[in-house]
Amino acid sequence: MSASKAGLVFAYNDYTTDGAKKKYFLLGIGGYGYDVGTNNGEYFLSYYENVELAALSGSYDNQNPTGTHYPCINNTRISRPVTVTGKGVSLYASVSETAKEGDNTTKVVTINLGNAVSTDKKSVENPVVTLSFEIGSNANNPDLDNDAQGFLRGLSTIQGGIGAYGMVTKAVGGEKSTENKYEVLYTDALTLHAE
């Protein structure tokens, strides 16, 4: 885990009408700076569009697939310990979209990351990271770069499919392997498909 990243794909939708190209958010989580044995992880949030479907299946030897990549949040250290070691970590993530109070055109997207999930499996307990951003024509995200602010204003929803992401960094002088396991614990969406 300390030499790789795993993550959650959400708001996965067609970018072209024929479905050959896709768009989606990617929340990545991994060891901080790939330091083996660290107890603190890091996360990032990106948005991709115009990505060829072929680049999303099987193995891919490039950090970023073809298409347009909008970094929303660059690698950010998780300040509270999440017990990331060379052998692995269990993390839970939740993503929600709610209407912004007093603004019918803006929605607030909130992401929680943590090591524990509620008994009913509907929410992350004691999250170590909570991040929020706005979407819609009046979205206000001053901490993001201009490109990211612009595309978020063009979104009306984060609804869509979900998926999994994994990345392995080759170790100096040897090979690395990783196993990522994903489970959908809860969704209140009307339709859901995993890719």
Side-chain angles (χ1 to χ4, degrees), residues 12-188:
Y12 177 83
N13 289 290
D14 290 339
Y15 182 75
T16 55
T17 55
D18 63 1
K21 295 190 176 182
K22 304 294 182 179
K23 56 185 178 180
Y24 55 92
F25 279 96
L26 170 60
L27 173 65
I29 311 152
Y32 177 68
Y34 309 124
D35 291 334
V36 175
T38 181
N39 284 327
N40 294 84
E42 66 183 4
Y43 67 92
F44 68 90
L45 181 69
S46 292
Y47 184 77
Y48 292 88
E49 62 184 18
N50 199 25
V51 178
E52 294 180 10
L53 182 58
L56 295 176
S57 57
S59 63
Y60 192 74
D61 62 0
N62 198 341
Q63 184 172 354
N64 296 318
T66 57
T68 305
H69 171 215
Y70 296 102
C72 299
I73 298 171
N74 292 321
N75 284 338
T76 301
R77 188 167 188 167
I78 300 173
S79 59
R80 290 174 54 195
V82 290
T83 318
V84 176
T85 68
K87 293 186 177 179
V89 63
S90 293
L91 285 170
Y92 297 91
S94 67
V95 182
S96 64
E97 176 186 294
T98 57
K100 184 177 180 180
E101 189 174 333
D103 184 346
N104 293 334
T105 65
T106 304
K107 295 177 182 173
V108 179
V109 177
T110 302
I111 299 171
N112 287 308
L113 297 175
N115 291 114
V117 67
S118 62
T119 304
D120 62 7
K121 299 184 179 181
K122 293 183 179 181
S123 62
V124 175
E125 288 191 336
N126 302 315
V128 295
V129 172
T130 297
L131 58 109
S132 295
F133 59 93
E134 296 181 356
I135 60 173
S137 58
N138 295 328
N140 183 20
N141 297 291
D143 295 334
L144 304 183
D145 67 32
N146 288 334
D147 284 342
Q149 290 185 53
F151 84 78
L152 289 173
R153 288 188 191 105
L155 297 179
S156 60
T157 184
I158 62 159
Q159 291 181 10
I162 61 172
Y165 160 80
M167 179 193 82
V168 179
T169 302
K170 186 175 180 179
V172 176
E175 296 291 329
K176 281 282 186 181
S177 63
T178 185
E179 180 181 29
N180 298 323
K181 295 181 180 180
Y182 301 87
E183 183 181 0
V184 178
L185 298 178
Y186 172 79
T187 177
D188 60 0

